């Protein structure tokens, strides 16, 4: 492929990252290249600059190719600037919504500027970061009788206390049909485990082999397992934060909003499955199409119904409604920190807005929402400028939340 054609491809990729293809189907097609271009913008810019310099030195750079390269470089600079601004966006969201002593552990300036450029050189080798930080992964612990899908991993570190450590439960995404416990949330779990948290990452049963609600049943079973067993790893079973992205964000929100629901706890109805706080990322909150969004209705009818719930909405609307976090909000909802990208082409950001608006109206607990400009789905899968800022923001939020919870539950003399 010649220089001009390469630059035409680069320009198309950058344009799609800045303004993704519209529509439900177009957005799904444009997600993957838009996601990689956005989160790897520094790498793409470096490669583009090197390619252009080499072709200019060889006398093979056409004017059209140079013009396209210049436009792409400007676009990539814009994407990098958006990424570096993520910390400020989240800092503002946290400080605007949490006015009660929100000054724990991580000062606001660290969220804005503390990017580890060394980690960005090869962002796909983040597994080594945990080992360097003294993080140990206790792998493949059975929590449910479903073979590989009933296993979980526990993350601890050299600084994990013998007891009383806060617990994070990380639920992987993958459209309820693919994914594993060791593929998502790794940077966040490594970061928190290195600070003394105990982090738990379970597999769960997937569709189409397993029908809904097996997925959320398994998340509930993992919570029940934590309550019974996490003290053996230094964790405090009284304090569980739950997080996850995409399908994991949906399961995070639904599990947090339905503590002890017997319909989602067959065979362990008496188990306590409550959590103290939920941090869903780019989650699906409207299985039933209750928002009226065309994207939500299309997702319901073309994917959720045939692939996950295995029935049509018109035949069983109550099943879709029971699976929708948007329709399960009560005044007893736990604290929520919801994160979504404005450029998400797989899950319409308006689902998150509707979910947060309803939480704020009904819940008695705190609700924080950070909408990240120019951000695609799955922005936190590997270390990037943006994802590092979000990891620090979640650390700061959960540090504040755990400290607040500890004060509220301190024994009285």
């Amino acid at each position: 492929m010649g220089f001009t054609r390469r630059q035409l491809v680069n320009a198309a990729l950058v344009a799609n990252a800045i303004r993704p293809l519209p529509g439900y189907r177009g957005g799904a097609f444009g997600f993957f290249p838009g996601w990689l271009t956005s989160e790897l913008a520094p790498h793409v810019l470096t490669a583009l600059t090197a390619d252009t310099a080499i072709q200019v030195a060889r006398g093979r750079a056409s004017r059209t190719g140079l013009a396209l390269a210049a436009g792409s470089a400007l676009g990539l600079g814009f994407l990098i600037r958006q990424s570096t601004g993520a910390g400020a966006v989240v800092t503002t969201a946290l400080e605007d919504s949490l006015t009660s002593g929100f000054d724990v552990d991580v000062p606001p300036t660290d969220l804005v500027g503390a990017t580890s450029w060394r980690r960005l050189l090869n962002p796909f080798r983040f597994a080594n970061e945990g080992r360097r930080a003294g993080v140990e992964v206790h792998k493949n612990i059975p929590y449910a009788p479903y073979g590989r899908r009933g296993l979980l991993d526990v993350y601890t570190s050299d600084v994990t206390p013998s007891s009383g450590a806060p617990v994070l439960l990380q639920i992987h995404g993958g459209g309820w049909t693919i994914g594993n416990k060791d593929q998502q949330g790794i940077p966040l779990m490594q970061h928190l485990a290195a600070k003394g948290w105990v982090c738990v990452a379970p597999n769960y049963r997937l569709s189409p082999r397993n029908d809904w609600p097996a997925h959320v049943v398994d998340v509930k079973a993992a919570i029940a397992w934590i309550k019974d067993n996490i003290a053996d790893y230094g964790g405090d079973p009284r304090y569980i934060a739950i997080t996850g992205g995409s399908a994991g964000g949906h399961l995070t929100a639904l599990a947090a909003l339905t503590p002890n629901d017997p319909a989602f706890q067959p065979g362990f109805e008496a188990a306590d499955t409550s959590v103290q706080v939920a941090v869903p990322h780019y989650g699906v909150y409207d299985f039933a199409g209750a928002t009226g969004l065309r994207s939500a209705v299309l997702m319901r009818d073309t994917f959720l119904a045939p692939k996950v719930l295995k029935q049509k909405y018109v035949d069983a609307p109550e099943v879709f409604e029971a699976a929708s976090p948007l329709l399960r909000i009560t005044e007893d909802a736990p604290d929520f920190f919801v994160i979504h990208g404005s450029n998400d082409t797989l899950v319409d950001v308006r689902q998150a807005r509707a979910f947060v608006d309803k939480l704020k109206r009904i819940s008695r607990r705190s609700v924080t929402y950070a909408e990240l400009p120019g951000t695609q789905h799955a922005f936190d899968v590997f270390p990037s400028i943006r994802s590092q800022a979000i990891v620090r923001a979640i650390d700061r939020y959960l540090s504040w939340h755990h400290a607040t919870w500890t004060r509220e539950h301190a024994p009285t003399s």
Side-chain angles (χ1 to χ4, degrees), residues 360-396:
K360 288 180 176 179
R361 290 197 310 270
I362 296 175
S363 173
R364 294 180 298 182
R365 304 293 299 185
S366 68
V367 180
T368 300
Y369 177 52
E371 185 172 308
L372 306 178
T375 302
Q376 255 291 2
H377 201 76
F379 60 82
D380 62 334
V381 171
F382 55 82
S384 67
I385 297 172
R386 186 177 0 249
S387 69
Q388 287 187 91
I390 300 308
V391 163
R392 293 190 298 273
I394 294 171
D395 172 14
R396 185 178 178 216

Side-chain angles (χ1 to χ4, degrees), residues 168-179:
L168 178 78
L169 176 59
Q170 154 66 34
I171 310 301
H172 72 77
W176 306 272
T177 61
I178 60 174

Side-chain angles (χ1 to χ4, degrees), residues 2 13 56 65 71 103 112 118 208 216 246 248 250 267 279 308 311 315 352 358 365 386 393 398:
L13 290 172
V56 168
D103 57 359
V112 176
R118 178 182 60 80
V216 72
S246 194
H250 162 258
V279 188
V308 182
Q311 50 194 322
D315 296 331
K358 190 171 181 180
R365 304 293 299 185
R386 186 177 0 249
L398 290 178

Side-chain angles (χ1 to χ4, degrees), residues 20-45:
L21 291 171
Y24 178 72
R25 292 178 176 84
F29 178 78
F31 153 66
F32 188 77
W35 163 58
L36 285 180
T37 304
S38 296
E39 299 310 315
L40 296 176
H43 305 74
V44 178
L45 180 59

Side-chain angles (χ1 to χ4, degrees), residues 155-234:
Y155 290 67
T156 60
S157 75
D158 297 340
V159 300
T160 303
S162 58
S163 63
V167 180
L168 178 78
L169 176 59
Q170 154 66 34
I171 310 301
H172 72 77
W176 306 272
T177 61
I178 60 174
N180 283 291
K181 55 185 169 57
D182 55 358
Q183 294 174 342
Q184 295 176 26
I186 307 301
L188 176 61
M189 290 191 290
Q190 289 176 341
H191 180 86
L192 290 179
K195 295 188 64 176
W197 283 64
V198 176
C199 301
V200 180
N203 280 336
Y204 54 86
R205 287 172 290 170
L206 301 172
S207 295
R209 181 174 182 178
N210 299 282
D211 297 344
W212 180 264
H215 322 67
V216 72
V217 168
D218 291 354
V219 172
K220 297 276 193 172
I223 296 172
W225 183 92
I226 289 172
K227 303 275 188 180
D228 291 340
N229 297 279
I230 207 64
D232 295 340
Y233 299 88

Side-chain angles (χ1 to χ4, degrees), residues 202-287:
N203 280 336
Y204 54 86
R205 287 172 290 170
L206 301 172
S207 295
R209 181 174 182 178
N210 299 282
D211 297 344
W212 180 264
H215 322 67
V216 72
V217 168
D218 291 354
V219 172
K220 297 276 193 172
I223 296 172
W225 183 92
I226 289 172
K227 303 275 188 180
D228 291 340
N229 297 279
I230 207 64
D232 295 340
Y233 299 88
D236 184 350
R238 301 174 303 157
Y239 184 89
I240 301 175
I242 186 170
T243 189
S246 194
H250 162 258
L251 294 170
T252 289
L254 187 62
L257 292 168
T258 58
N260 311 324
D261 184 343
F264 293 155
Q265 297 181 203
F268 58 105
E269 292 86 353
D272 177 13
T273 58
S274 62
V275 299
Q276 281 57 59
V277 59
V279 188
H281 313 164
Y282 44 89
V284 179
Y285 305 109
D286 183 16
F287 264 43

